[in-house]
Structures are given as C-alpha cells and as structure tokens.
Amino acid sequence: MIDFNLLQYNKNRFRLQLIISYVIFTLLLIILITVIHVYISEKQEDMMFKQNVKSDAVQRINYLYQYLDQKESSIKAIAISPFVLASIAIANYEPLKHYFMDMSEVNSDYMQIRYIDAQGWEVVRVDREKKNTPPFLINPLMLQNKQERPYFSATKDLAIFKVRFSPLELNEEYGQLDQPIKPVLRVSIPMYNQEVFSGILIVILFVEEFMSQLFAGQEYDNYLVDQEGYYLIHDNPNKQWSRYFSKARLHDDFKEHAQAILSSTDLHYFHDLHIFTAPVYIGDYKYHMIFMPKKSLESQKRQNETQIIYLILTIVILGSFL
C-alpha cells in the first residue's frame, strides 16, 4: 500500500534539496563569473589607464617645458637689451625704473622685477601685489641687501647671460611668508659690464595659476612632490606646500615605494600602486608628477558593481522558489 504521507515528505524534501542545490550552484556560478569579470575588468582598466595617463603626462611635461622656455627667452631678452646694458654701464638707473615698469605692465604674471648690484643691494625694484593688479616702484628707502640669499650667490657664479631657475617656493618678505601665500618661481641672470660682474637681474613670477593649469581638466588625482618628497600639490589641501606647513611627505602615503618614485628618471607605471609617475626638471631641481585614478570614480565603480551583484542574487533567490 502506498504511503502518501511518506511520498509527500519525500517530494517536499526533494524540492528543498533541488532549491538548495540550485541556489548553491547559481551562487558558485555567479562568484566564478564575478571573479573572472573583476579580473578581466581590472586588467583592461589598468591597460587603458596606463595608455591614457602616459599620453596625458607627456602633454603636461611639454606644457611645463614650453612655459619655462618662454619665460627664459623673455627674461633673457630684457637682460641683453641695449637699453638695459647701457643704463647699467653708466649707472644711470632712472631710465631702468621706467623700463621695468613697462615690462611689468605687459607681463601680468611678473610679481617682481629687480636689478641687484654686485654688492647685493637692490637698485631698482618694481612689485605688484596680485596678478593683474598695477605694478608699483619700491621706495629707495625700502630696498634691501640680498647678498646672503642663495639665489644671489648661485646666480653670481653663472656664466654670462646664463639663466637660473630657482625651486618652486612660497614668497617671503622680511623673513615671513606672504599671506595669503604666493607660490612663485624666481628667474635670475647675471649681468656684466665689459666682462666684469655688475649684478643680477631677477624676475619673480606668480605661478599659482600656471600650476593649476598644469593639472587642469584631468580625470586623475594629482600630486606634485619635490626631490625630497615634500608635497606642493596634493588632493588634500592640508598637505599642499607641506615643506612650509604640515611636513607631510611622499613616504607617508607610499612608504614602501617612495624611494623608488623619487629615484626614477623616466616615466614609470607602478602596477601594484596603480599610479603613474613622471619626473620633471625646473633648472637644477627635480620634481615628480604623480597621477592616480580619482578616488571618487573608483568608489562609484565599486558601488555600482556591488549593486549589480545584489540584484543578481535577488533574482537568483526568487527564481529558485519559482
């Protein structure tokens, strides 16, 4: 005699086993597909990032060097101007004041242009407070001696009409940082009168806008570090210009790779960090541009992938009951 209760029990048990087997099999399949998808996706993203960022980095490097070449040419043109040379030769500095004012008028990124004599004294100095504001002549009583400043001695030792770029830095006056801070680049050139050193011509450039443009319109997080690993540009504003403030360094964020990054001499992609680095030079000073995928985009991508996985799991579980 057929035991219908046992038959029904076995039927329900089989149904449950079938559901569980279906769910387990589907979950395993989903996990396998997800792992393969993530692996292939990361490989493709890694390859695309490397190709795109390398091309972009080269453009940024070219932009930087074109900027430096243009500034070197324009400042050298001032130094070798017969008008400037004649004024210095006869020590008649009144015309030089007008000439420096004119040069500042047509170059809105000139924060300062000065002639410093062989003893380190500022002879003529034209300043401006901010970019695009009117320049003004400094009162002779306010002129300073710059003989002890590193840029004076370094420029003094250069060959005739050899241009020197200082490191990127924040401007200081009377031993104090300007407030608000002013990122600047000093460009100097030795001046000679009949092959005798007579002083230096120095131009200080506003570079905040240039540095912003250097990394403008990118899909990456960017760092700029100096040769000692201090940050000039960082996605965290509290770490920018860290040499002067937080003292944060590359070693803090990339402890195991910082030295390799700082010692690299060519474009390099660090696969394990997923970052691209590019060394650049301003005069004798080495810097490193670092490119990383934007953290916000990475986070959004992971969130989208998680939502898709949850959606598939929900469909699988509902399908198992059907």
Side-chain angles (χ1 to χ4, degrees):
M1 183 177 180
I2 298 175
D3 187 343
F4 287 99
N5 290 331
L6 179 62
L7 184 63
Q8 185 63 36
Y9 171 77
N10 289 333
K11 182 178 180 182
N12 291 338
R13 183 180 178 185
F14 175 75
R15 181 184 293 115
L16 179 61
Q17 290 175 338
L18 184 63
I19 290 173
I20 293 173
S21 299
Y22 172 79
V23 171
I24 292 174
F25 172 77
T26 306
L27 287 176
L28 290 174
L29 185 62
I30 290 173
I31 292 172
L32 179 62
I33 292 173
T34 301
V35 170
I36 294 174
H37 167 73
V38 170
Y39 176 79
I40 294 175
S41 176
E42 287 183 350
K43 283 289 185 182
Q44 290 177 337
E45 289 174 5
D46 192 66
M47 185 180 300
M48 289 184 62
F49 172 76
K50 183 178 179 181
Q51 292 174 347
N52 294 338
V53 76
K54 183 176 182 180
S55 173
D56 196 69
V58 170
Q59 292 181 20
R60 306 293 161 175
I61 292 171
N62 290 337
Y63 176 72
L64 169 64
Y65 289 147
Q66 287 172 3
Y67 171 84
L68 296 177
D69 288 344
Q70 189 272 326
K71 295 305 174 185
E72 179 175 348
S73 297
S74 62
I75 293 168
K76 184 179 288 188
I78 296 174
I80 64 176
S81 164
F83 180 84
V84 172
L85 294 175
S87 297
I88 293 174
I90 63 176
N92 180 10
Y93 302 119
E94 286 301 317
L96 206 57
K97 295 176 182 179
H98 298 288
Y99 185 73
F100 282 4
M101 284 290 291
D102 291 341
M103 290 298 99
S104 293
E105 288 283 1
V106 298
N107 294 279
S108 62
D109 60 343
Y110 281 18
M111 187 192 99
Q112 192 178 99
I113 179 169
R114 291 176 289 172
Y115 172 65
I116 302 175
D117 68 18
Q119 286 71 48
W121 283 102
E122 296 175 326
V123 178
V124 179
R125 172 173 165 177
V126 173
D127 280 20
R128 62 160 39 91
E129 290 294 333
K130 299 178 182 178
K131 188 175 180 181
N132 297 318
T133 60
F136 54 90
L137 191 67
I138 296 296
N139 188 306
L141 297 177
M142 299 296 293
L143 299 177
Q144 307 168 59
N145 189 285
K146 301 293 185 178
Q147 190 174 28
E148 300 301 321
R149 296 299 298 270
Y151 62 79
F152 180 82
S153 56
T155 306
K156 180 180 178 181
D157 295 335
L158 294 178
I160 186 170
F161 296 133
K162 175 70 175 178
V163 175
R164 176 185 182 270
F165 288 94
S166 72
L168 292 166
E169 54 193 356
L170 299 182
N171 193 58
E172 297 181 23
E173 287 297 336
Y174 305 102
Q176 299 292 325
L177 286 177
D178 283 351
Q179 295 296 334
I181 61 172
K182 296 177 183 176
V184 296
L185 177 64
R186 287 180 170 83
V187 189
S188 54
I189 185 169
M191 303 296 292
Y192 288 83
N193 182 17
Q194 296 182 351
E195 301 185 357
V196 176
F197 175 73
S198 61
I200 71 171
L201 172 70
I202 180 167
V203 175
I204 302 181
L205 303 168
F206 288 113
V207 292
E208 183 173 15
E209 183 177 311
F210 162 72
M211 292 176 68
S212 297
Q213 292 173 346
L214 185 61
F215 293 111
Q218 294 196 83
E219 300 178 355
Y220 318 111
D221 286 330
N222 303 114
Y223 301 152
L224 181 65
V225 298
D226 64 21
Q227 56 196 16
E228 295 178 55
Y230 289 104
Y231 292 108
L232 287 75
I233 293 177
H234 196 287
D235 59 355
N236 180 354
N238 293 326
K239 290 188 177 182
Q240 299 199 64
W241 296 102
S242 61
R243 177 182 291 277
Y244 298 90
F245 304 111
S246 67
K247 303 302 180 184
R249 299 178 66 192
L250 191 67
H251 298 75
D252 300 328
D253 293 321
F254 306 101
K255 184 175 181 180
E256 298 179 0
H257 297 79
Q259 191 55 45
I261 294 172
L262 295 177
S263 60
S264 64
T265 57
D266 201 354
L267 303 178
H268 189 78
Y269 181 58
F270 291 83
H271 289 274
D272 48 345
L273 294 177
H274 204 44
I275 67 172
F276 192 87
T277 65
V280 293
Y281 294 86
I282 298 178
D284 296 329
Y285 299 89
K286 183 182 181 184
Y287 298 86
H288 290 269
M289 295 191 293
I290 301 175
F291 304 82
M292 299 177 62
K294 277 193 176 296
K295 293 173 185 169
S296 57
L297 296 179
E298 289 284 295
S299 177
Q300 184 62 45
K301 186 186 72 171
R302 297 288 177 256
Q303 184 177 349
N304 293 340
E305 290 176 348
T306 301
Q307 290 175 348
I308 292 174
I309 291 173
Y310 284 155
L311 177 61
I312 294 175
L313 287 175
T314 302
I315 294 174
V316 168
I317 291 173
L318 291 176
S320 68
F321 289 105
L322 292 177

